[in-house]
């Protein structure tokens, strides 16, 4: 039986026709052509003979190869193209036809592995006779260079699919178009490029015919469906979303029992929140088989068309099996707003796969902001996955490590859990890698860090340690609102749904007050700066903003945005769409957030007006007054009543000078004053232009 591993046969045959030096003599390859392939080639040629152009330059070489394969009894001379008369062309074609008819009369339809596999696939996909013949033709084209080249010599009245359907199967053009659409819907073919007429065969089907070890129906199903997915997590690992967990299980169970079409469940949230494991767990709990949409085809990363073809294929096959569902990870690959790879028709194609799916589908995405709203509207149920708390993640880590029989110090594991926010699946990988190299705890930590870098796409992945609260002094803050009184009232009222905009010059104590307030309220602090949130990838900044608010909500923490002007800049000045979308994202979250949210900025005049209306309090932080400067000398240097006033000083300036003075061993009042003056002179504040007062 002849089935080649190498599917690039067209290129190989062109090497022959262009007189290149192939690795193997072409006649050695032609000897391997099976009887079944010869039989089908003969039929194709007979039906297409009227449309064959023997005036094509390479047809003489092609005919010589045919003669070698079929061993024609009659000597037939095919001339090089030289304006052959119609009579010469007709006589030559008739001679070839007679030889081909003679061959068919002498042989029976041979059995073959190709035929056996075709019958098994036909059963899985419910192929009718024309569909069967179309698929067989495309398979044979891939493994047989002579069949592949038939279309090269046709009169090119139609594209490949149409040529075969009209000339060989004797179908009407409109019927061929109908069959084409049906086979695309079944995932057997995908549209190739922007030209709807050109098709590509499902890569997994090609794999079945290229691998001689694949013979049985079970093996074929395993290739087309993959493994039944099992979750590594337990039911209680998702007790933080008990309601959503139970609803999802009920939806899936009901959909299976009632054969409900169009059931789609979307799970969205940041990496490492358990979306994929949750989907698998729901299916396992409901005793329903789950098959994952492939991300790899023929040892290559799957393209969009590959993934959609695979989805359609699974829908057809599983619709006959029952009690099964599909997992489609990284749904943004095919649902993104810029989905134009195959034109607008592809969007309609995906819409149909979603709306008419006979099998429930779990879709997961890390980037909900890049998903086209048209697809979101078609979801049956959606769940947002917030970041796991340290406690929940630690319990999962412990079980994963126990399962893999890896020994690690408990305190070390707690430390790693706090330092690295990565999915349990990656912990499993880190454990396996450590065991492969017979490594210890330190090796394990190294592997965890490396995996965390891949997930986060950042070099510095280790979580920042909680800030050490600097000494806060109400007397060294010059604000237009009595913040001492404000702090007392916030503590007394017990309400947490407030927001503050702290604005003013750098070093005036804005961030320090925000942290002090959190401490007074007994709240954990989550601090985000522009560098933490800004991403060069479309939609990812908005995603990072949403994740920051979600994390604060899940931990009931105070969220502080330093340099908030980056995300709340006036939309009237925006020049790009993403600048507006970032502001919109911030405003949306500010409107609904239930816990303390504080923004600090040095550029109050650049903020969007809509954002200003959403702050409960807007507090200006200014330079130290004369009395406060004197207090600062005492506070930082232990110098009482120096009677010195330098306009434009902040508590931050005093802290910076104190650090320098201690390093240099300076204690003299005059020298300290000069150092403070220097701090003021480098400031770019408009309030201090050409003014340094004493």
């Amino acid at each position: 039986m002849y089935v080649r591993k190498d599917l690039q046969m067209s290129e190989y045959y062109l090497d022959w026709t262009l007189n290149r030096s192939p690795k193997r003599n072409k006649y050695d390859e032609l000897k391997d052509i099976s009887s079944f392939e010869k039989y089908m080639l003969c039929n194709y040629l007979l039906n297409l003979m009227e449309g064959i152009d023997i005036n094509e330059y390479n047809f003489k070489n092609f005919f010589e190869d045919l003669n070698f394969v079929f061993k024609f009894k009659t000597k037939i001379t095919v001339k090089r193209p030289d304006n052959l008369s119609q009579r010469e062309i007709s006589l030559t074609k008739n001679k070839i036809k007679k030889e081909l008819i003679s061959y068919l009369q002498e042989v029976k339809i041979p059995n073959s592995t190709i035929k056996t596999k075709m019958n098994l696939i036909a059963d899985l996909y419910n192929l009718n006779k024309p569909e069967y013949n179309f698929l067989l033709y495309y398979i044979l084209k891939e493994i047989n260079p002579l069949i592949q080249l038939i279309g090269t010599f046709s009169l090119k009245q139609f594209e490949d699919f149409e040529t075969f359907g009209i000339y060989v199967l004797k179908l009407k053009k409109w019927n061929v178009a109908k069959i084409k659409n049906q086979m695309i819907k079944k995932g057997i073919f995908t549209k190739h490029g922007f030209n709807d007429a050109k098709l590509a065969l499902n890569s997994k089907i090609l794999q079945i015919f290229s691998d001689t070890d694949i013979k049985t129906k079970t093996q074929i199903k395993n290739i087309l469906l993959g493994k039944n997915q099992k979750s590594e997590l337990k039911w209680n690992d998702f007790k933080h979303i008990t309601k959503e967990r139970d609803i999802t299980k009920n939806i899936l169970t009901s959909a299976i029992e009632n054969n409900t079409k169009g059931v789609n469940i979307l799970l969205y949230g940041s990496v490492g929140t358990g979306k994929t494991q949750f989907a698998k767990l729901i299916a396992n709990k409901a005793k329903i088989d789950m098959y994952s949409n492939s991300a790899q085809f023929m040892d290559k990363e799957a393209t969009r068309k590959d993934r959609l073809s695979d989805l359609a294929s699974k829908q057809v096959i599983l619709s006959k099996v029952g009690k099964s569902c599909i997992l489609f990870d990284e749904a943004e690959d095919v649902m993104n707003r810029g989905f134009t790879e195959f034109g607008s028709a592809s969007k309609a194609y995906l819409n149909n796969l979603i709306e008419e799916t006979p099998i429930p589908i779990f879709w997961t995405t890390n980037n909900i902001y890049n998903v086209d709203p048209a697809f979101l509207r078609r979801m049956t149920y959606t769940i947002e996955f917030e970041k796991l708390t340290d406690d929940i993640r630690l319990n999962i880590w412990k079980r994963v490590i126990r399962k893999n029989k890896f020994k690690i110090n408990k305190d070390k594991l707690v430390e790693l859990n706090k330092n690295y926010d990565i999915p349990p699946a990656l912990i499993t990988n880190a454990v396996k890698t450590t065991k492969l190299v017979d490594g210890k705890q330190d090796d394990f930590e190294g592997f965890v860090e490396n995996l965390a870098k891949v997930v986060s796409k950042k070099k510095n992945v280790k979580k920042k340690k909680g800030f050490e609260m600097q000494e806060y002094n109400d007397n060294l803050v010059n604000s237009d609102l009595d913040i001492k009184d404000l702090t007392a009232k916030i503590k007394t009222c017990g309400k947490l749904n407030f927001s503050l905009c702290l604005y003013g010059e750098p070093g005036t104590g804005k961030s320090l007050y925000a942290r002090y307030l959190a401490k007074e309220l007994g709240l954990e602090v989550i601090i985000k700066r522009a560098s933490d949130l800004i991403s060069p990838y479309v939609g990812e900044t908005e995603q990072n903003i949403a994740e920051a608010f979600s994390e604060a909500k899940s931990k009931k923490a105070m969220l502080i945005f330093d340099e908030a002007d980056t995300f709340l800049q006036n939309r009237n000045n925006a020049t790009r769409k993403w600048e507006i979308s970032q502001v919109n994202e911030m405003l949306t979250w500010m409107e609904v957030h239930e816990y303390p949210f504080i923004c600090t900025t040095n550029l109050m005049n650049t903020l969007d007006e809509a954002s200003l209306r959403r702050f409960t309090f807007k507090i200006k932080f200014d330079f130290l007054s004369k009395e406060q400067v004197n207090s600062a000398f005492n506070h930082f240097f232990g110098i009482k009543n120096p009677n010195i006033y330098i306009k434009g000083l902040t508590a931050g300036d005093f802290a910076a000078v104190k650090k320098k003075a201690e390093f240099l061993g300076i204690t003299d009042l005059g020298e300290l004053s000069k150092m403070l003056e220097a701090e003021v002179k480098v400031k770019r504040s408009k309030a201090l232009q050409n003014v340094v007062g004493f």
Side-chain angles (χ1 to χ4, degrees), residues 501 530 534 541-542 545 561-587 590 599-601 603-612 614-615:
C501 178
I534 294 291
T541 299
E542 292 90 332
I545 292 170
F561 272 23
D562 274 338
E563 309 161 7
D565 43 274
T566 306
F567 312 102
L568 291 174
Q569 59 183 305
N570 197 321
R571 287 169 292 180
N572 293 331
N573 300 327
T575 57
R576 301 174 181 86
K577 287 184 179 180
W578 55 263
E579 292 175 328
I580 297 174
S581 66
Q582 289 177 13
V583 177
N584 289 340
E585 186 67 25
M586 280 285 293
L587 295 177
M590 288 173 66
C599 282
T600 70
T601 179
L603 302 169
M604 181 67 166
N605 61 328
T606 67
L607 299 191
D608 193 275
E609 290 183 6
S611 71
L612 297 178
R614 285 169 167 81
F615 288 108

Side-chain angles (χ1 to χ4, degrees), residues 234-258:
K234 302 296 181 183
W235 198 244
N236 283 339
D237 289 331
F238 295 97
K239 60 184 179 182
H240 57 293
I241 50 170
T242 300
K243 180 182 177 182
E244 293 86 351
R245 181 193 63 189
D246 295 342
I247 289 174
T248 307
K249 181 177 175 291
N250 290 337
I251 290 173
L252 181 61
T253 304
S254 178
I256 295 296
E257 289 177 354
N258 298 294

Side-chain angles (χ1 to χ4, degrees), residues 308-454:
L308 290 181
S309 174
D310 186 58
L311 175 60
S313 172
K314 282 183 168 64
Q315 287 176 331
V316 172
I317 296 171
L318 293 175
S319 64
K320 297 172 62 179
V321 175
K323 298 201 78 170
S324 56
C325 61
I326 299 170
L327 171 63
F328 199 113
D329 274 325
E330 299 175 0
E332 65 273 13
D333 282 354
V334 298
M335 289 183 175
N336 68 63
R337 297 171 186 267
F339 186 59
T340 57
E341 185 176 350
F342 308 109
S344 60
S346 61
K347 190 171 180 177
Y349 176 60
L350 179 54
N351 281 339
N352 185 70
L353 290 178
I354 295 171
E355 292 172 351
E356 300 298 323
T357 179
I359 307 298
I361 305 175
F362 284 86
W363 306 84
T364 76
T365 178
N366 304 324
N367 191 355
I368 190 69
Y369 307 97
N370 210 26
V371 176
D372 193 314
F375 300 126
L376 295 178
R377 289 194 295 270
R378 289 168 167 82
M379 295 295 115
T380 309
Y381 187 56
T382 63
I383 306 175
E384 180 183 6
F385 280 68
E386 299 174 347
K387 283 194 173 184
L388 300 176
T389 63
D390 287 349
D391 290 342
I392 293 174
R393 192 171 60 253
L394 181 60
N395 288 332
I396 296 171
W397 282 32
K398 285 179 179 178
R399 190 169 59 255
V400 168
I401 286 172
R402 264 197 319 268
K403 183 181 177 182
N404 288 275
K405 298 178 180 177
F406 182 68
K407 293 182 179 178
I408 184 172
N409 180 276
K410 290 182 180 179
D411 293 337
K412 185 65 174 178
L413 186 60
V414 171
E415 180 189 336
L416 289 175
N417 177 57
K418 287 183 177 180
N419 289 342
Y420 300 101
D421 185 6
I422 63 173
L426 292 187
I427 294 299
T428 302
N429 294 342
V431 170
K432 289 180 179 178
T433 307
T434 306
K435 292 177 74 174
L436 280 173
V437 300
D438 196 24
K440 307 299 180 186
Q441 285 187 171
D442 291 343
D443 301 301
F444 176 66
E445 182 174 7
F447 292 131
V448 167
E449 184 172 4
N450 287 335
L451 289 167
K453 286 179 181 178
V454 173

